[in-house]
């Protein structure tokens, strides 16, 4: 298995990588729950976030600290970094390289973390680039499926909501091509259907998918329903957003239709697409999913920085 230098997109991960990363995440669960370790003592993570991100930024920072490392953070980098003065991302990356041992970056423009990675030698982790990819979210999502259901193969999975602008469901769909026996169902308002690039990727790798409109009819047959927020900030007009919002909600009726052994996932944050009454149902896995983000991100940092 070749060592990865950066984490930029899910296509970098083959099944061997996933099995190795997920076993390491299991070890990290034990380490974190025992109070952490000093495995990354002396290492520094720079977190450069050009978009808001409570979960991804804080979980990466928490993961680094739980491994004994330190963090430099630019939370609102669009306003506070030299980017605001017109500096290129390449120059920003070159400067930060001399301050830190790895960079985790979120940016509204697709491909920006890859541009940074191309000019520096320290690892760059894509924490979400526009509506393109969110690879570490997909990794923690697949880890969560394995942890909750005991397998990452032979699954019926419904991806619901904004599949056009939602980078998390896009990355998860593409990562699932490393599993076998996957049947995907896409359920979305017509103006935010899954992108043709993702569909082409699935077809080229032999993963079957279908597009449906009736959520309640699909729910009895799925192992995982992966609900997503309509990404208001990425729409070109409010009218387009209004066409997409509120169409599919996981509520009491949806939970009644869902199999007793299935789980409900969501990358969070949610707005109104999961009724809070669902939170106490044991099948609601989304807060456990967010917690798994710590273990998977600890594993990613440990992998990139200890095995370099
Ligand atoms: N799931 C996710 O990416 O959440 P944040 O935007 O809070 O990082």
């Amino acid at each position: 298995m070749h060592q990865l230098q950066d984490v930029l997109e899910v296509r970098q991960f083959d099944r061997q990588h996933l099995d190795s990363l997920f076993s390491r995440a299991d070890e990290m669960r034990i380490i974190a729950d025992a109070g952490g370790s000093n495995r990354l003592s002396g290492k520094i993570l720079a977190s450069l976030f050009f978009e808001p991100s409570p979960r991804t930024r804080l979980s990466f920072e928490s993961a680094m600290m739980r491994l004994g490392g330190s963090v430099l953070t630019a939370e609102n980098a669009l306003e506070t970094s030299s980017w605001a003065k017109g500096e290129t991302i390449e120059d920003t990356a070159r400067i930060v390289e001399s301050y830190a041992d790895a960079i985790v970056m979120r940016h509204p423009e697709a491909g920006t973390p890859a541009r940074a990675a191309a000019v520096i030698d320290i690892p760059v982790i894509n924490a979400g680039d526009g509506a393109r990819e969110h690879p570490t979210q997909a990794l923690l999502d697949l880890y969560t499926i394995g942890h909750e259901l005991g397998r990452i193969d032979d699954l019926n999975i419904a991806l619901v909501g904004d599949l056009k602008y939602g980078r998390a469901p896009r990355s998860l769909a593409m990562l699932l091509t490393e599993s076998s026996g996957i049947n995907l169902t896409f359920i979305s308002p017509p103006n935010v259907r899954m992108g043709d690039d993702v569909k082409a990727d699935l077809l080229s790798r032999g993963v079957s998918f279908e597009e449906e409109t009736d959520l309640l009819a699909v729910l009895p047959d799925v192992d995982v329903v992966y609900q997503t927020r309509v990404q208001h900030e990425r729409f070109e007009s409010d009218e387009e957003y209004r066409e997409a919002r509120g169409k599919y909600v996981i509520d009491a009726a949806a939970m009644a239709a869902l199999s007793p052994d299935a789980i409900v996932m969501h990358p969070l944050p949610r707005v109104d697409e999961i009724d809070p009454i669902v939170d106490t149902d044991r099948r609601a896995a989304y807060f456990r999913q967010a917690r798994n983000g710590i273990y998977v991100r600890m594993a990613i940092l440990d992998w990139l920085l200890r095995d370099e």
Side-chain angles (χ1 to χ4, degrees):
M1 186 180 69
H2 70 279
Q3 167 69 359
L4 299 180
Q5 160 67 19
D6 306 291
V7 175
L8 299 172
E9 56 189 18
V10 292
R11 186 55 55 234
Q12 294 173 271
F13 290 83
D14 61 22
R15 184 59 181 255
Q16 248 192 318
H17 288 125
L18 294 176
D19 291 341
S20 167
L21 183 74
F22 293 167
S23 343
R24 197 177 293 223
D26 285 339
E27 289 166 31
M28 293 299 152
R29 182 185 295 273
I30 295 165
I31 288 173
D33 293 352
S37 86
N38 284 319
R39 291 166 71 94
L40 295 185
S41 174
K43 301 285 187 185
I44 298 173
L45 174 69
S47 63
L48 300 183
F49 279 72
F50 296 82
E51 278 187 342
S53 167
R55 265 152 296 273
T56 309
R57 184 174 68 84
L58 294 182
S59 63
F60 261 114
E61 294 181 3
S62 172
M64 189 66 179
M65 291 177 195
R66 283 169 198 266
L67 289 169
S70 309
V71 173
L72 301 173
T73 188
E75 182 192 357
N76 194 5
L78 212 51
E79 276 92 44
T80 59
S81 77
S82 290
W83 182 267
K85 300 176 192 164
E87 185 178 59
T88 65
I89 200 70
E90 286 83 359
D91 280 2
T92 302
R94 287 186 186 104
I95 299 305
V96 175
E97 181 180 31
S98 55
Y99 304 157
D101 300 292
I103 294 175
V104 56
M105 180 188 295
R106 173 171 290 185
H107 200 281
E109 284 173 21
T112 303
R115 280 175 50 198
V119 298
I120 60 177
D121 291 329
I122 62 170
V124 176
I125 303 168
N126 177 4
D129 60 331
R132 195 181 81 92
E133 277 243 26
H134 194 349
T136 68
Q137 179 69 48
L139 291 167
L140 78 88
D141 291 342
L142 190 56
Y143 175 78
T144 297
I145 292 170
H147 201 71
E148 294 279 327
L149 300 180
R151 66 188 192 282
I152 60 170
D153 299 302
D154 303 318
L155 293 160
N156 292 330
I157 299 179
L159 301 180
V160 183
D162 181 352
L163 306 182
K164 176 180 178 182
Y165 297 118
R167 53 196 171 199
R170 284 172 50 83
S171 284
L172 179 58
M174 291 188 283
L175 190 62
L176 283 165
T177 61
E178 293 300 324
S179 293
S180 59
I182 299 296
N183 294 299
L184 290 174
T185 305
F186 301 144
I187 303 170
S188 59
N191 63 336
V192 286
R193 287 206 177 104
M194 182 59 86
D196 288 340
D197 57 336
V198 175
K199 290 180 191 168
D201 189 60
L202 297 176
L203 286 173
S204 73
R205 289 166 176 269
V207 174
S208 71
F209 65 86
E210 51 196 15
E211 293 185 287
E212 297 288 347
T213 53
D214 187 345
L215 175 63
L216 290 184
V218 167
L219 288 177
D221 298 320
V222 299
D223 303 296
V224 178
V225 55
Y226 190 97
Q227 174 67 301
T228 63
R229 177 178 69 89
V230 176
Q231 307 272 309
H232 190 184
E233 65 277 21
R234 304 211 189 280
F235 283 81
E236 283 171 13
S237 72
D238 265 356
E239 190 189 345
E240 192 196 355
Y241 170 64
R242 279 196 300 275
E243 273 174 43
R245 69 163 300 194
K247 297 288 186 291
Y248 294 107
V249 177
I250 303 294
D251 55 12
M255 295 307 282
L258 187 67
S259 153
D261 299 323
I263 55 170
V264 181
M265 297 177 65
H266 191 306
L268 304 176
R270 71 173 153 185
V271 181
D272 51 12
E273 64 278 359
I274 298 181
D275 188 321
I277 63 161
V278 174
D279 295 356
T280 52
D281 190 303
R282 66 182 164 72
R283 294 170 293 175
Y286 33 91
F287 294 123
R288 298 190 293 275
Q289 177 186 355
R291 172 82 189 169
N292 287 337
I294 293 283
Y295 311 132
V296 170
R297 288 172 173 138
M298 285 172 76
I300 291 168
L301 292 169
D302 194 62
W303 197 10
L304 294 174
L305 289 170
R306 243 174 92 92
D307 297 349
E308 62 193 346

